[in-house]
Amino acid sequence: MKTKWTIDSSQSDVLIKMRNSIIAYLAGTINKFDGHIDIDNNEIADASLQFSLDVNNKDTKLEQIDSHLKMNDLFDVNEYPIISFKSTSFEKINKNINFLKGNLTIKNITRPIELDAEFMGINAYDGDAKAAFEITGKINRKDFGLTYNSFNQNGGLALGQDIKLIANLEFTA
């Protein structure tokens, strides 16, 4: 039987990670997550996701290895505070391999991206059924105008070329 599950924004989060200097954990309680997945006999049949992350929100749960200044410099958060994603298609290859395609917007630059999607399973929590979904991928930061770079103590570049995205999404029926 096919069941439509909606995203639980308060239980979802996104991790933005770059080599060496920036790790930002953006929790769902502040940021907006919308979307659904359809599950047919414990298998994902379709997925549609959309989320917006306010990287300049002072109340955002934010962890960083380095200073907040580097986050401001890289993302130019005062002028471009929102990072958003809207899915365009979901492709199920087999039980463990799924691809989520969509448009990612950073600094008002929108590019199509493809992400890996893993269905973690269904569990009951406080009497409610929950479905967990993890989305991972990486983007080239320069494709989105993220050209800021800092230097480490030895004069080498401190920021990596790629940004890793990890979204942990929880759904309820």
Side-chain angles (χ1 to χ4, degrees):
M1 183 171 108
K2 193 174 188 178
T3 307
K4 186 174 200 166
W5 298 65
T6 55
I7 197 164
D8 183 347
S9 193
S10 67
Q11 296 298 315
S12 300
D13 59 55
V14 172
L15 174 71
I16 298 171
K17 185 177 178 181
M18 286 182 65
R19 180 183 52 86
N20 226 356
S21 290
I22 295 177
I23 293 179
Y25 174 81
L26 303 162
T29 54
I30 303 297
N31 296 293
K32 182 179 177 185
F33 294 83
D34 290 317
H36 77 276
I37 57 172
D38 292 331
I39 299 176
D40 190 4
N41 294 323
N42 289 339
E43 295 288 327
I44 298 173
D46 191 17
S48 175
L49 299 171
Q50 182 173 339
F51 56 83
S52 297
L53 306 170
D54 185 348
V55 293
N56 196 32
N57 189 320
K58 303 298 184 235
D59 296 325
T60 297
K61 182 177 178 183
L62 188 62
E63 280 180 46
Q64 296 178 2
I65 289 176
D66 216 332
S67 72
H68 188 71
L69 181 59
K70 285 201 172 112
M71 180 89 163
N72 286 338
D73 290 340
L74 179 66
F75 287 99
D76 197 4
V77 297
N78 292 322
E79 189 168 344
Y80 306 102
I82 303 297
I83 295 173
S84 63
F85 174 80
K86 184 173 184 179
S87 66
T88 56
S89 69
F90 177 80
E91 183 178 359
K92 180 175 175 49
I93 304 299
N94 63 40
K95 183 177 180 177
N96 297 317
I97 300 174
N98 306 288
F99 297 111
L100 183 67
K101 296 179 183 177
N103 293 313
L104 179 67
T105 302
I106 301 173
K107 291 181 74 173
N108 285 348
I109 298 171
T110 302
R111 299 271 189 262
I113 63 170
E114 185 174 296
L115 303 166
D116 296 326
E118 182 180 356
F119 180 47
M120 308 300 284
I122 300 172
N123 288 306
Y125 180 75
D126 285 343
D128 295 324
K130 302 278 186 175
F133 199 55
E134 182 179 78
I135 299 170
T136 60
K138 66 180 178 179
I139 60 167
N140 182 323
R141 65 186 177 95
K142 292 183 179 176
D143 289 346
F144 294 91
L146 304 174
T147 57
Y148 169 80
N149 223 333
S150 63
F151 295 90
N152 64 23
Q153 298 163 354
N154 300 326
L157 295 178
L159 300 179
Q161 183 77 7
D162 294 326
I163 295 175
K164 293 181 183 178
L165 305 172
I166 303 167
N168 295 298
L169 307 175
E170 197 169 285
F171 297 83
T172 54

